[in-house]
Amino acid sequence: MQSKVSSVQQASSGSFLSKFEWRNYIVYLAFIGVFIYFSVSLFDEGFLTSGNLLNIVRQTTTITLMALAMTFVISTGEIDLSVGSITALSALTGALALQAGFGILGGFVAGVGTGVLVGLINGLLVTKVAIPSFLVTLGTMGAVKGAAMWITDTAPVPIVDTNFNFIFGSGDIGPIPVLLIWTIIFTVIAHVLLRKTSFGRQTLATGGNENAARFSGVKTKRIKLLVFLGTGFMAGLAGLLYAGRMNAGRFSFGEGDELSVIAAVILGGTSLFGGVGTVIGTVVGSLMIGTINNGLIIMGLDVSQQMIIKGLIIILAVAFGKKALKK
């Protein structure tokens, strides 16, 4: 009798393990593995100190915010390569508005408005002119970067408004960095938007099967326009956070960020082919990239070596996502 019960329990356990969707949790397991690895190997170098862990949060906030918006874009089956350039131009326009005496609100409107304007151009070219988003945003990436270099002749624009710098980057409320608060607020908003609203469902439907979604009454072009406006807004805000943290606007802000942003989204479990998206996974993917960057810096690797590793991570993530899609 006991052997029969044991056999039933083993069969039940095996059935549970066979049904467990490991690929849905791979980013969380990978993040835990990466964190444990650096905690052990870099323990003597201070990886686990509270100061270093808060630095990881500060360093990943801009990537996380852009990745949240990119989750919606990729979920519709599109992509936005211009986010890094938008952060630079938005940081500069925000800094110039502050320098001209328009105050914090003026700097915010100028910075975020710049991002929204570029997002609107991207969205209109994709939805009205039917140019592939890869080509559109590749073009605007170069144009916006050129504009950022041109308006100040590559010179940085210092920001002396201490209140702005506190709110948008360098401030701490007790032990909590202001940047962490920005991250939490927009993570909650993005998660609710994707999972609890018709807009989120229509975004996933558009990426899953655009023709079927359109025949079902979803205004797919409007959805795509809105998600590009979203990336513009978040990239503009990320530019202001860069400026507030560094106390200046610089044309070099955001260089290569599009790579980290896309990597965070794909690592988090959002399908590069559309139809599947997860906000929480994106945040964990961003934290994992930030943790890897931080660990590599402490280990003494330079920027070029970090870029190689990030590129390899994207290739592996896309390969894994494609394999999962076939199942």
Side-chain angles (χ1 to χ4, degrees):
M1 182 66 181
Q2 284 184 339
S3 62
K4 186 180 287 186
V5 172
S6 177
S7 299
V8 171
Q9 287 176 338
Q10 287 179 358
S12 176
S13 175
S15 176
F16 171 77
L17 290 174
S18 65
K19 291 179 180 177
F20 189 76
E21 295 286 349
W22 290 101
R23 60 189 172 85
N24 291 340
Y25 303 94
I26 192 69
V27 65
Y28 306 104
L29 299 173
F31 176 65
I32 293 171
V34 166
F35 190 82
I36 292 174
Y37 171 75
F38 284 126
S39 298
V40 173
S41 61
L42 299 176
F43 181 80
D44 292 336
E45 282 75 15
F47 177 81
L48 279 179
T49 60
S50 59
N52 186 56
L53 295 179
L54 288 176
N55 269 337
I56 293 175
V57 173
R58 292 188 181 96
Q59 290 163 0
T60 55
T61 294
T62 50
I63 298 298
T64 302
L65 293 187
M66 288 187 280
L68 290 173
M70 186 70 80
T71 301
F72 287 82
V73 172
I74 293 180
S75 292
T76 63
E78 304 292 346
I79 199 161
D80 189 344
L81 300 176
S82 64
V83 289
S85 298
I86 294 175
T87 60
L89 186 59
S90 295
L92 285 168
T93 54
L96 288 171
L98 285 165
Q99 202 174 64
F102 289 102
I104 294 176
L105 181 60
F108 176 81
V109 171
V112 171
T114 299
V116 171
L117 178 62
V118 178
L120 178 63
I121 293 171
N122 285 337
L124 289 176
L125 288 174
V126 171
T127 58
K128 301 298 183 185
V129 189
I131 302 175
S133 57
F134 176 83
L135 297 176
V136 168
T137 57
L138 185 65
T140 51
M141 179 176 69
V144 171
K145 183 69 175 179
M149 297 174 71
W150 175 66
I151 61 172
T152 61
D153 199 18
T154 71
V157 181
I159 298 175
V160 296
D161 190 320
T162 54
N163 291 326
F164 177 89
N165 292 331
F166 181 90
I167 296 171
F168 289 96
S170 57
D172 291 326
I173 299 178
I176 303 173
V178 168
L179 291 174
L180 177 59
I181 297 173
W182 282 106
T183 300
I184 293 172
I185 290 172
F186 280 99
T187 296
V188 172
I189 292 173
H191 180 71
V192 171
L193 206 56
L194 186 63
R195 292 297 170 199
K196 305 294 182 184
T197 67
S198 60
F199 172 74
R201 289 189 289 274
Q202 291 176 3
T203 297
L204 297 175
T206 299
N209 188 324
E210 186 171 352
N211 288 330
R214 191 164 49 245
F215 285 126
S216 300
V218 177
K219 296 179 179 178
T220 55
K221 289 185 177 180
R222 187 173 71 94
I223 293 294
K224 289 187 176 183
L225 178 61
L226 289 174
V227 297
F228 278 105
L229 284 172
T231 52
F233 177 90
M234 293 298 263
L237 178 60
L240 294 180
L241 296 181
Y242 265 121
R245 188 170 170 223
M246 305 304 290
N247 299 344
R250 290 191 176 91
F251 78 93
S252 57
F253 285 163
E255 280 184 347
D257 276 4
E258 57 279 350
L259 200 63
S260 299
V261 168
I262 294 170
V265 175
I266 303 303
L267 277 173
T270 296
S271 171
L272 188 60
F273 310 100
V276 178
T278 162
V279 166
I280 302 302
T282 292
V283 174
V284 175
S286 178
L287 284 173
M288 185 162 74
I289 289 176
T291 303
I292 292 172
N293 283 342
N294 182 270
L296 295 179
I297 290 170
I298 294 177
M299 292 172 77
L301 273 67
D302 59 29
V303 175
S304 58
Q305 293 167 317
Q306 294 174 40
M307 290 178 68
I308 292 172
I309 292 176
K310 277 192 286 188
L312 292 174
I313 288 173
I314 290 180
I315 293 171
L316 289 173
V318 172
F320 181 82
K322 192 172 182 179
K323 185 178 178 182
L325 197 67
K326 290 179 178 177
K327 291 183 177 180

